[in-house]
Amino acid sequence: MNYLNEFRKFISSHYLYTGVRLTLGAVIPCLIFHHYGILSDLIAFPLGTLLIGTTDNPGPLHRRRNSLMIAIVTCFAVACITGYLRHIHFLAFFEIVIFGMFFSLVGVYGNRANSVGLIALLVFVFNIDNHMSGDAVLRNALIFSAGGIWYLILFLVLQKIRPYKLIQQLLGENFVELGKLLSVKAGYYFAKPDYDELFNQMIHQQVILRENHETLREILFKTRQIVTESTNTSRILMLMFLDSVDLMERILNSQQNYSNLHRAFDHSKILRLFGTYITWLAAELQEIGLSVQSGFPSKPRHDLDEAFNKCQRTFDSIRERSMTHENVEDFIMLRQILNSLQDITERVKKLHRATRYDSELSKEYNINVEIDDFTTKQEYSPRILLDSLSLKSSHFRHAVRVTLGLMIGFLVSLFFSVGHGYWILLTIVTIMKPAFSITKQRNLYRIAGTIVGAFAGFLTLYLIKDDTVIFVIMMLAMISAYSFLKINYFVASIGITLYVLLWFNFLNPEHITAVLQDRVIDTVIGSIIAYFVSSYILPVWEHTQINQYMKAALDANRKYFDNVSQIFTGVQLDINELKLHRKEAIIAMANLSDNFQRMLSEPKKQQVKMEEHHQFVATSHMLTSYIASLSTYAQTVGQSYLSDEFKPMIRQIDRQFESAIQLIDKEENASVDIIKESLPQNQKLLDLLSARKKEIKEMGIEKSAQSPARKALSDFKTINGLFELISTITIDEIKILQKIAIGKV
């Protein structure tokens, strides 16, 4: 890991930007109120700013604005209802059931609605334990809402001043992660690669990139300013995003049989040269990402033209010395890698220019896709919520667990002396997530972060007596807390605990020791409750859901394959449809990988048939890569290699997909006899290969290199080979699904 790059990435990221915005949004009013001696009376104001501000997830301006307004209104209503009824304990249980179920279930409407629901539950928790008079309830609710409105105004003003900032930050992060993906790819070319570890790293990067692409698509395609505005900046940003999607496909479709490559070329050192050059390209992509984030033009780190020419010369030299009619297929594979490197090199050079917002480059801006097809459509029909009222729904099960956890926590706070009892409920609400693996991880991070934060708070107050220094530390803790909230919950928990303790020290210094003890004890109690409820109350284990992800991956890959393969039979290319199927295949693959990764964090007894599921994830990744490679040829030379001999191959591969899907659906008529059938041979390819070997044998390498048959054979063999690989992989998936279905190892 390049720690300097990671630091630069964080410093210019939207995570730090958000942390600073939230911190200043809360602290500036506090300083003003403190100056006038009214801070203790208006403490709900900064609390409203912080809570409402955490619902502000990246996305289009109108969605962010609307979610903030909905959060303000919802939290005001919850604060009033809870405040007026909190002294009637039996009604509090009804509130827990209603609020716990409803605000957990709204997660069916997506992450933005889920954030609003979570904050509404936190407001409920804050007010259920507060001991204010009835007349102060409305006043505090209004003050809290005023804090939320203040954040809304701050957000709108900053958005007006820097409308492209969030897009630049997300786009820059996307290029950094693309660079990491390419860096992992370089590992396949060095000596003795660890294929399993490299594959796991590839999967991890693809999950990250899928999330980045989805967020960027939503912002870019649903923001009228970006889509229709003709400013140079907006055009360049859109162009860079579209190039990043194509670049990711190019990286994925460069999949090769690396074992054969090392067997054939390890002695020549050319693979190590390729690996080094790919590492350089990865470094260039990361530099581009960091420059886009910071808003400054990027500067190339290496002379890419000279480096690529060296790769080209080495390849030519080895081919001249070593290629024979027997190993021509190995050199075809090496040539494909060189072509991919050339394409990626040109793309990287173009992106370097784009960071300078070159007006000439922006003239290439052209959206040739249907925007509505490439954005997530979120429905808000009540029917969706009603349909989730079933034990088959993971959202409903999660809502039941949250509600029961809150009930237990509330009872503990009533019958035991636990100080700030609402901290127990806060811990339960913030830790519990629909997936057990995420709940488990956040549980550990919350306990460890609270203990470390409490210790840091104790040392700060014990060693430092200057209030100004303590205030600065509190500010830094707040920035850390809200900067790391989405990326490292352990660090965020440390920051939250530290700044809460220092905040209480300013408000009520004589009781700070009790506060410190209560914070640790209440957090541990809440974590224990959350763990047991998540483990034993209607748990949703990942192995019970993986079938739907496997089927989605198969369906998406089949549609992608059908769309790409038909081009070689004479069907007209529809670039919009092709890109749509590519997007769906990559998303389905990333979702499947994400599900498998969560399964790894579950108890061992719930990790059912892990080896087979891991094999299926790996083959799905390879399948998408091979189809993406076929897509590249379809778009560039597809019309030059039309052949009726591809039709029976396509039909057989489709039958293989169908058999795999039937196995997942456990259909009684599922037929697996297809795995015994050989893929039809392509006679045209056999004739070309025979002619090329004859040329090499009779004319020699140098003279035959100029033959028109060389290029035709290289492309045609690659295309046919991809059909064969896709067929082989789908047969492998059928065999894996058979093992899963009947429990064989």
Side-chain angles (χ1 to χ4, degrees), residues 77-233:
V78 170
C80 289
I81 294 170
T82 308
Y84 283 119
L85 299 179
R86 66 170 162 258
H87 298 299
I88 309 174
H89 287 160
F90 77 90
L91 285 180
F93 286 101
F94 285 104
E95 291 178 84
I96 288 175
V97 172
I98 295 171
F99 290 154
M101 291 296 297
F102 178 76
F103 289 122
S104 299
L105 270 174
V106 294
V108 299
Y109 294 119
N111 289 333
R112 206 172 297 280
N114 185 63
S115 295
V116 174
L118 174 62
I119 295 307
L121 280 177
L122 293 180
V123 170
F124 164 69
V125 167
F126 275 118
N127 284 273
I128 201 173
D129 192 64
N130 209 328
H131 301 291
M132 296 180 293
S133 63
D135 293 338
V137 171
L138 180 60
R139 176 177 176 275
N140 279 276
L142 288 171
I143 294 172
F144 178 91
S145 300
I149 294 171
W150 154 244
Y151 178 84
L152 175 62
I153 294 171
L154 181 64
F155 155 70
L156 292 174
V157 170
L158 292 175
Q159 182 68 26
K160 189 70 175 176
I161 296 172
R162 307 192 71 179
Y164 300 119
K165 185 60 181 177
L166 177 61
I167 298 173
Q168 290 172 318
Q169 290 169 329
L170 292 172
L171 190 59
E173 182 180 342
N174 181 57
F175 282 117
V176 170
E177 298 301 333
L178 261 178
K180 291 180 182 178
L181 179 68
L182 192 57
S183 180
V184 174
K185 200 78 172 180
Y188 286 101
Y189 292 87
F190 295 111
K192 298 179 181 179
D194 185 340
Y195 293 114
D196 288 338
E197 177 60 25
L198 289 170
F199 170 75
N200 289 333
Q201 292 178 25
M202 289 278 291
I203 291 298
H204 176 70
Q205 284 305 119
Q206 288 174 45
V207 170
I208 294 174
L209 284 165
R210 185 262 300 178
E211 294 174 351
N212 287 354
H213 282 178
E214 284 300 287
T215 303
L216 276 166
R217 275 194 193 94
E218 186 181 37
I219 297 175
L220 288 166
F221 289 165
K222 288 200 173 183
T223 302
R224 182 174 299 276
Q225 184 182 40
I226 298 295
V227 174
T228 63
E229 190 181 89
S230 60
T231 66
N232 184 60
T233 301

Side-chain angles (χ1 to χ4, degrees), residues 399-623:
V400 171
R401 291 195 295 271
V402 170
T403 303
L404 187 57
L406 287 173
M407 280 189 173
I408 296 172
F410 185 61
L411 285 172
V412 170
S413 69
L414 286 179
F415 294 104
F416 297 92
S417 179
V418 289
H420 296 73
Y422 66 90
W423 277 343
I424 297 175
L425 305 184
L426 283 177
T427 301
I428 293 169
V429 169
T430 54
I431 283 178
M432 294 185 69
K433 300 296 175 184
F436 172 83
S437 58
I438 299 176
T439 301
K440 174 185 174 183
Q441 183 188 63
R442 289 174 71 90
N443 213 329
L444 294 174
Y445 286 168
R446 179 80 175 194
I447 293 175
T450 299
I451 293 173
V452 173
F455 182 70
F458 170 77
L459 286 181
T460 299
L461 296 175
Y462 181 76
L463 299 175
I464 301 172
K465 304 305 179 184
D466 189 325
D467 285 347
T468 302
V469 176
I470 294 175
F471 178 77
V472 170
I473 293 174
M474 186 188 78
M475 287 273 291
L476 294 175
M478 288 183 72
I479 292 173
S480 298
Y482 293 107
S483 298
F484 285 95
L485 193 59
K486 302 289 178 64
I487 53 177
N488 191 319
Y489 193 64
F490 172 64
V491 175
S493 295
I494 294 175
I496 291 172
T497 301
L498 179 56
Y499 95 70
V500 166
L501 293 177
L502 299 183
W503 188 313
F504 270 98
N505 179 68
F506 282 115
L507 294 176
N508 199 354
E510 61 269 18
H511 294 105
I512 190 61
T513 302
V515 169
L516 192 151
Q517 293 173 347
D518 290 346
R519 178 73 181 182
V520 175
I521 294 171
D522 293 345
T523 297
V524 171
I525 292 173
S527 295
I528 292 172
I529 293 171
Y531 175 79
F532 279 100
V533 171
S534 297
S535 301
Y536 300 106
I537 306 299
L538 301 176
V540 178
W541 306 113
E542 297 301 330
H543 72 83
T544 64
Q545 303 183 85
I546 197 169
N547 274 7
Q548 69 189 51
Y549 291 108
M550 292 194 297
K551 182 179 179 180
L554 278 170
D555 276 332
N557 275 325
R558 181 182 185 178
K559 292 176 182 176
Y560 190 20
F561 168 75
D562 285 343
N563 183 246
V564 170
S565 62
Q566 293 301 319
I567 296 168
F568 295 99
T569 64
V571 176
Q572 189 65 32
L573 172 65
D574 185 336
I575 191 65
N576 183 65
E577 187 178 6
L578 181 67
K579 289 186 175 183
L580 178 61
H581 286 136
R582 176 185 67 184
K583 170 203 155 194
E584 291 174 346
I586 291 174
I587 289 174
M589 182 179 66
N591 287 339
L592 173 62
S593 304
D594 202 20
N595 171 268
F596 179 76
Q597 292 298 321
R598 292 195 301 268
M599 196 190 299
L600 292 174
S601 300
E602 293 183 338
K604 289 291 183 182
K605 65 179 180 180
Q606 300 300 336
Q607 296 179 6
V608 179
K609 299 172 184 171
M610 289 295 288
E611 182 179 348
E612 288 82 0
H613 285 130
H614 182 266
Q615 291 172 354
F616 190 90
V617 173
T619 53
S620 294
H621 165 76
M622 293 169 65
L623 183 57

Side-chain angles (χ1 to χ4, degrees), residues 356-418:
R356 298 193 293 271
Y357 294 92
D358 188 335
S359 59
E360 289 298 316
L361 192 63
S362 70
K363 293 177 181 178
E364 298 182 22
Y365 172 85
N366 179 31
I367 300 181
N368 57 355
V369 297
E370 292 294 329
I371 292 172
D372 289 341
D373 291 337
F374 287 84
T375 53
T376 304
K377 299 176 179 65
Q378 181 63 64
E379 296 183 24
Y380 293 98
S381 169
R383 173 54 55 187
I384 297 175
L385 190 66
L386 294 175
D387 288 344
S388 299
L389 300 178
S390 165
L391 288 177
K392 294 181 180 179
S393 168
S394 60
H395 288 283
F396 180 78
R397 287 170 169 250
H398 170 63
V400 171
R401 291 195 295 271
V402 170
T403 303
L404 187 57
L406 287 173
M407 280 189 173
I408 296 172
F410 185 61
L411 285 172
V412 170
S413 69
L414 286 179
F415 294 104
F416 297 92
S417 179
V418 289

Side-chain angles (χ1 to χ4, degrees), residues 229-401:
E229 190 181 89
S230 60
T231 66
N232 184 60
T233 301
S234 66
R235 293 164 70 90
I236 289 291
L237 290 173
M238 178 64 81
L239 181 66
M240 292 178 76
F241 170 68
L242 296 176
D243 280 351
S244 77
V245 176
D246 290 339
L247 185 56
M248 178 178 175
E249 182 190 39
R250 189 62 172 170
I251 294 171
L252 292 179
N253 71 22
S254 58
Q255 188 77 16
Q256 300 288 345
N257 188 326
Y258 296 104
S259 298
N260 286 349
L261 273 176
H262 282 282
R263 173 188 53 77
F265 297 108
D266 260 355
H267 65 281
S268 67
K269 309 299 182 185
I270 191 172
L271 294 184
R272 186 173 65 184
L273 179 64
F274 281 6
T276 301
Y277 181 59
I278 295 171
T279 303
W280 285 14
L281 288 172
E284 296 295 333
L285 277 175
Q286 294 194 52
E287 183 64 31
I288 288 168
L290 293 170
S291 298
V292 172
Q293 271 194 333
S294 62
F296 296 102
S298 62
K299 296 179 180 179
R301 294 183 175 183
H302 308 93
D303 186 338
L304 296 182
D305 289 329
E306 174 57 32
F308 176 77
N309 288 336
K310 182 178 181 181
C311 292
Q312 178 73 62
R313 289 193 300 269
T314 304
F315 169 78
D316 292 339
S317 175
I318 293 174
R319 184 185 63 179
E320 185 177 347
R321 292 196 318 267
S322 306
M323 192 172 82
T324 68
H325 66 282
E326 295 178 347
N327 64 5
V328 62
E329 296 178 45
D330 293 331
F331 279 89
I332 288 175
M333 190 161 43
L334 208 59
R335 165 65 72 181
Q336 293 166 4
I337 296 171
L338 200 62
N339 291 340
S340 293
L341 291 180
Q342 185 176 24
D343 181 70
I344 293 173
T345 300
E346 294 304 316
R347 293 176 186 273
V348 169
K349 288 160 61 178
K350 178 182 174 183
L351 287 168
H352 271 304
R353 282 180 59 202
T355 63
R356 298 193 293 271
Y357 294 92
D358 188 335
S359 59
E360 289 298 316
L361 192 63
S362 70
K363 293 177 181 178
E364 298 182 22
Y365 172 85
N366 179 31
I367 300 181
N368 57 355
V369 297
E370 292 294 329
I371 292 172
D372 289 341
D373 291 337
F374 287 84
T375 53
T376 304
K377 299 176 179 65
Q378 181 63 64
E379 296 183 24
Y380 293 98
S381 169
R383 173 54 55 187
I384 297 175
L385 190 66
L386 294 175
D387 288 344
S388 299
L389 300 178
S390 165
L391 288 177
K392 294 181 180 179
S393 168
S394 60
H395 288 283
F396 180 78
R397 287 170 169 250
H398 170 63
V400 171
R401 291 195 295 271

